[in-house]
Amino acid sequence: MIYERSALAVLIFLAFVGMTLGLSFYLGRKARSAQAYFAAGGGIHWFVNGVAFAGDYLSAASFLGICGIIAFYGYDGFLYSIGFLAGWIVALLVVAEPLKRLGKYTFADALDARFQSRGIRLAAAVSTLAVSIFYLIPQMVGAGALIQPLLDWPHWVGVLLVGTTVVMIVLTAGMVSTTYVQFIKGSLLVFFSGILTILILQRGLRVDSRPEASESQTITITADGKKLINGKPQGRGEGETDLRPVGHVSELPGGVQETGPLGPLEYLSTLADSRIVLWDKKEQKHDDGSKTITFSSREVSGDQVLRPGNHPIFRGIHSKVVTDRLEFISLMLALFGGTASLPHILIRYYTVKDQAAARKSTVVGIAVIGCFYVLTLYLGLGAMTSGALDVSDENMAAPLLARTFGAFLFAVISAIAFTTVLGTVSGLIVAASGAVVHDLLASFVRTPFSDHDKVRIGKLAAVVVGVIGMALGILFHGMNVGFLVGWAFSVAASANLPSLVMLLFWKGTTRQGIIAAILVGMTASLAWILVSGDTYVKVYGWNKADALVPFSQPGIVTIPLGFVVLVIVSLLTRPRQATA
Amino acid sequence: MGGWDHGPSTATDDQSAETSARNARYGLWLFALYCAAYAAFVLLNAFVPDSMTKRSLGGLTVSVLYGLGLIALAFVLSLVYAWMCRTNLPPKDDKTTGGAS
């Protein structure tokens, strides 16, 4: 779809970015030591840290990806919300306190507290880098997706813009400014999502009975790279056409045309009794090298929309084949275990003063994140029935929904989503650069660095990770960002969860066991993703049936694998004397 | 080994080993409770998906009610946990290290 550039949007957007950078420079003057740079001096208030948890966690994927999946497939997107929040329970109840007790800068500190081993540091550093970079991809893709409609710049410009801004934020102040950026962003995101939800409920549901609202649409990419919409060139001029915005209710209970304002629960029950039009996408390659994507409408009952199984990933739960169900279980397991293994979430435990503060900030985090995820259900369903969706871009559902309430809200929501990307990316980059300085280099270089050098190397690492992130963000253009985040969670959970949990709860864990579990978990999950059906189709453009593994989400195999490897290697390398 | 200068931090350790052990125990009980609710949700979805379209309270589908319920449960459990862990036990006399032994 072609989007109109709005001067207001550009203005609000620049104000946000300017504010973020200004804050960074201001706080940056205060952060001089390594402790201040990587862990904000341990002096962040628990409430600020709690909201910053939400800011870190509610990434572009949560906001854009989940809203997009709900808008196009209904309840399946909400499954991500449920799984993402459930992960916090693991973080709070199982790993938060011991981690805070054992570590100082990075989660390798905690793993390493008992063994003082270079090998563990190295393995943990590699997995932190792998997960951070994997998690950076969807954030960067999201940034590009946002810039397009807002400023009418190509995708890659958005990616470069985010990358550069974030590297500047991280360079100026590290964890302190990252924390305050996250705090502001987390608050704004929840606040404005709340406002959008109120507006959605005020508007209620409305039937659109125009026949053209359900007409199929096509995009054709000709052999020489031209883009045709419904057979005509894309554009606004004479003889040109553009994709029609979609998404509507075709029938309301009781045959009414409009419900008027609805209560929050009433909205969901009314929707369950309505009939709604969803959109299917089919891609066809022709012999002459051209390609047609057809979007066709499909009317379904509301209770179908509000049950899982409409999205391709989750469709398996209605099939007779058992491995298809494993796909779903596997993803839900990765979401559950992934949160507590994400490096940029783990480092946030080191920014507060003690375990009690770590606990309290997690409770605040869960409250804010939980609220937001409840709101995503309304935002997604609101977008589904808003008549404003772009059939060709799931990631745009939330901003386009906001536009139906006026240009101002559209601008604000887009700007917040963009700062969301900024915040999460800067958190990831601090985590990655901390891992490089404290763990990767520490396992090679014997002489300790001065405080000053540590900060300098950290900043250098931040630039390198930023550049890698930008390159991958451009490469993965067009994939649903929520889906990509699911992968990052799988890798995080497979690599880090077994060692974290076993170290805390099994006295027989050995150094070699931890190293083996991290490396095996990480490589196995990465390898699984690379040879899975979804990657075959979406990244390489190959046939799904040729994939080497029966389903695409690795979690259900690779997370237990990590545990098994850890236990076996630990038993084999058990010290002769009584265990420590 | 190697003289790296940032081993485990004990400077901020304000809890006795006993308090930590007690908190960990509470944490695991509550965790088991949540795990059961989450596992039931996932298995129900995977093997009896039709149960999710049934209507429950106020005309809401089971899927919506269960999903919102899981989010609410996470919040309630986090409050319960914070409340249970609110006091620190006095440190034991023979306490030597603050970390896991």
Side-chain angles (χ1 to χ4, degrees):
Chain A
M1 241 161 93
I2 302 169
Y3 302 98
E4 271 165 72
R5 192 189 308 208
S6 105
L8 183 68
V10 177
L11 217 65
I12 292 179
F13 170 78
L14 288 179
F16 264 68
V17 176
M19 213 170 69
T20 314
L21 276 177
L23 190 72
S24 274
F25 281 117
Y26 171 73
L27 293 167
R29 288 184 311 179
K30 295 182 179 168
R32 287 278 171 261
S33 69
Q35 169 62 341
Y37 182 77
F38 291 109
I44 302 278
H45 188 268
W46 56 265
F47 183 78
V48 173
N49 204 53
V51 180
F53 261 135
D56 262 326
Y57 198 62
L58 300 176
S59 62
S62 291
F63 186 51
L64 302 175
I66 292 179
C67 285
I69 301 179
I70 297 179
F72 281 85
Y73 307 101
Y75 193 78
D76 293 337
F78 195 51
L79 284 172
Y80 277 92
S81 297
I82 294 167
F84 281 147
L85 189 75
W88 276 95
I89 285 292
V90 187
L92 171 69
L93 301 178
V94 185
V95 300
E97 287 199 44
L99 206 69
K100 174 68 191 160
R101 198 170 64 234
L102 298 175
K104 191 175 175 193
Y105 291 117
T106 63
F107 100 102
D109 285 340
L111 285 183
D112 198 28
R114 200 150 104 204
F115 302 109
Q116 304 290 320
S117 139
R118 279 163 197 278
I120 292 187
R121 282 202 174 270
L122 187 61
V126 172
S127 90
T128 299
L129 281 176
V131 174
S132 299
I133 289 174
F134 236 80
Y135 205 83
L136 271 174
I137 302 173
Q139 312 304 333
M140 293 289 187
V141 172
L146 274 170
I147 267 295
Q148 234 166 332
L150 192 63
L151 306 175
D152 197 20
W153 288 337
H155 181 267
W156 63 270
V157 176
V159 175
L160 289 186
L161 199 67
V162 171
T164 325
T165 318
V166 165
V167 169
M168 274 171 75
I169 294 177
V170 177
L171 286 186
T172 48
M175 201 61 186
V176 180
S177 55
T178 303
T179 302
Y180 280 97
V181 168
Q182 297 297 48
F183 173 73
I184 294 172
K185 171 205 118 178
S187 321
L188 286 173
L189 187 57
V190 176
F191 180 73
F192 278 98
S193 300
I195 291 196
L196 266 184
T197 304
I198 293 171
L199 289 171
I200 291 167
L201 295 175
Q202 278 301 312
R203 179 159 70 186
L205 295 163
R206 188 177 303 160
V207 172
D208 184 351
S209 46
R210 293 173 302 138
E212 65 263 32
S214 311
E215 257 171 43
S216 297
Q217 310 196 62
T218 59
I219 299 179
T220 310
I221 311 282
T222 57
D224 51 353
K226 277 202 201 99
K227 195 170 178 186
L228 300 176
I229 306 293
N230 302 329
K232 291 180 189 163
Q234 185 172 29
R236 290 271 164 79
E238 189 100 6
E240 292 174 329
T241 186
D242 192 14
L243 287 173
R244 209 180 46 243
V246 298
H248 65 278
V249 179
S250 55
E251 196 185 315
L252 281 168
V256 292
Q257 287 299 304
E258 212 170 313
T259 59
L262 292 169
L265 296 179
E266 205 186 349
Y267 188 88
L268 297 173
S269 57
T270 311
L271 197 79
D273 291 327
S274 311
R275 293 190 70 78
I276 296 154
V277 173
L278 297 183
W279 290 80
D280 288 330
K281 179 177 162 181
K282 211 173 253 158
E283 214 175 290
Q284 222 177 351
K285 286 198 175 110
H286 305 292
D287 295 336
D288 61 350
S290 65
K291 187 171 84 169
T292 310
I293 307 167
T294 310
F295 304 96
S296 48
S297 66
R298 173 166 60 102
E299 198 195 64
V300 295
S301 69
D303 55 3
Q304 298 273 313
V305 169
L306 291 175
R307 77 162 190 198
N310 291 307
H311 190 277
I313 305 180
F314 299 108
R315 206 158 280 165
I317 61 174
H318 298 298
S319 95
K320 296 220 157 38
V321 190
V322 176
T323 51
D324 290 349
R325 292 161 201 245
L326 289 180
E327 183 95 65
F328 164 77
I329 299 175
S330 189
L331 178 66
M332 294 308 279
L333 182 68
L335 298 183
F336 192 52
T339 303
S341 328
L342 287 176
H344 69 294
I345 297 296
L346 293 174
I347 57 167
R348 194 151 286 296
Y349 280 113
Y350 302 121
T351 58
V352 289
K353 106 178 162 321
D354 52 25
Q355 288 105 311
R359 209 157 51 222
K360 281 191 232 164
S361 57
T362 317
V363 175
V364 173
I366 289 181
V368 175
I369 296 165
C371 273
F372 177 76
Y373 281 148
V374 172
L375 298 178
T376 56
L377 184 61
Y378 292 98
L379 297 186
L381 293 174
M384 176 187 266
T385 54
S386 67
L389 292 177
D390 176 352
V391 274
S392 66
D393 193 349
E394 290 173 21
N395 295 330
M396 280 309 294
L400 288 176
L401 165 73
R403 197 165 65 179
T404 62
F405 296 108
F408 174 73
L409 215 50
F410 172 62
V412 172
I413 290 289
S414 303
I416 291 175
F418 199 78
T419 22
T420 299
V421 178
L422 291 184
T424 308
V425 172
S426 45
L428 282 166
I429 290 185
V430 172
S433 89
V436 169
V437 177
H438 298 295
D439 306 327
L440 199 63
L441 290 177
S443 39
F444 289 121
V445 186
R446 278 170 190 275
T447 44
F449 295 110
S450 70
D451 230 33
H452 182 70
D453 281 341
K454 272 194 205 168
V455 174
R456 227 175 39 194
I457 299 169
K459 289 181 174 178
L460 191 69
V463 175
V464 175
V465 174
V467 170
I468 297 176
M470 287 185 241
L472 292 173
I474 295 171
L475 200 68
F476 280 79
H477 171 212
M479 287 189 72
N480 180 294
V481 292
F483 180 73
L484 287 169
V485 163
W487 278 352
F489 271 66
S490 300
V491 178
S494 311
N496 300 343
L497 193 67
S499 346
L500 269 175
V501 169
M502 295 308 274
L503 180 77
L504 300 175
F505 298 104
W506 187 42
K507 290 225 156 58
T509 310
T510 66
R511 179 167 56 88
Q512 293 88 338
I514 291 183
I515 299 173
I518 292 179
L519 295 179
V520 170
M522 182 181 68
T523 2
S525 53
L526 281 173
W528 187 290
I529 290 170
L530 288 178
V531 298
S532 72
D534 280 328
T535 316
Y536 267 45
V537 176
K538 290 183 180 157
V539 183
Y540 315 138
W542 297 347
N543 196 346
K544 190 166 185 166
D546 298 339
L548 300 178
V549 286
F551 47 91
S552 296
Q553 297 291 335
I556 201 168
V557 177
T558 52
I559 297 173
L561 179 71
F563 280 99
V564 170
V565 166
L566 190 144
V567 171
I568 293 178
V569 175
S570 291
L571 289 177
L572 289 176
T573 56
R574 194 163 34 174
R576 290 278 166 244
Q577 322 87 311
T579 45
Chain B
M1 270 227 273
W4 198 252
D5 65 335
H6 63 282
S9 153
T10 46
T12 56
D13 190 0
D14 67 332
Q15 274 180 197
S16 68
E18 255 178 285
T19 310
S20 299
R22 181 204 61 182
N23 290 354
R25 209 167 46 241
Y26 290 161
L28 287 182
W29 275 112
L30 295 175
F31 177 67
L33 189 68
Y34 192 82
C35 258
Y38 186 79
F41 176 74
V42 172
L43 294 177
L44 212 56
N45 270 308
F47 295 101
V48 208
D50 290 336
S51 64
M52 286 287 140
T53 45
K54 294 230 166 61
R55 296 308 167 88
S56 55
L57 292 174
L60 292 176
T61 57
V62 173
S63 57
V64 169
L65 199 71
Y66 205 150
L68 293 175
L70 277 174
I71 290 178
L73 181 67
F75 178 59
V76 170
L77 288 185
S78 74
L79 280 182
V80 170
Y81 178 66
W83 181 78
M84 284 167 100
C85 297
R86 73 199 182 286
T87 49
N88 278 348
L89 296 170
K92 260 168 97 177
D93 292 338
D94 60 351
K95 178 195 159 205
T96 47
T97 58
S101 52

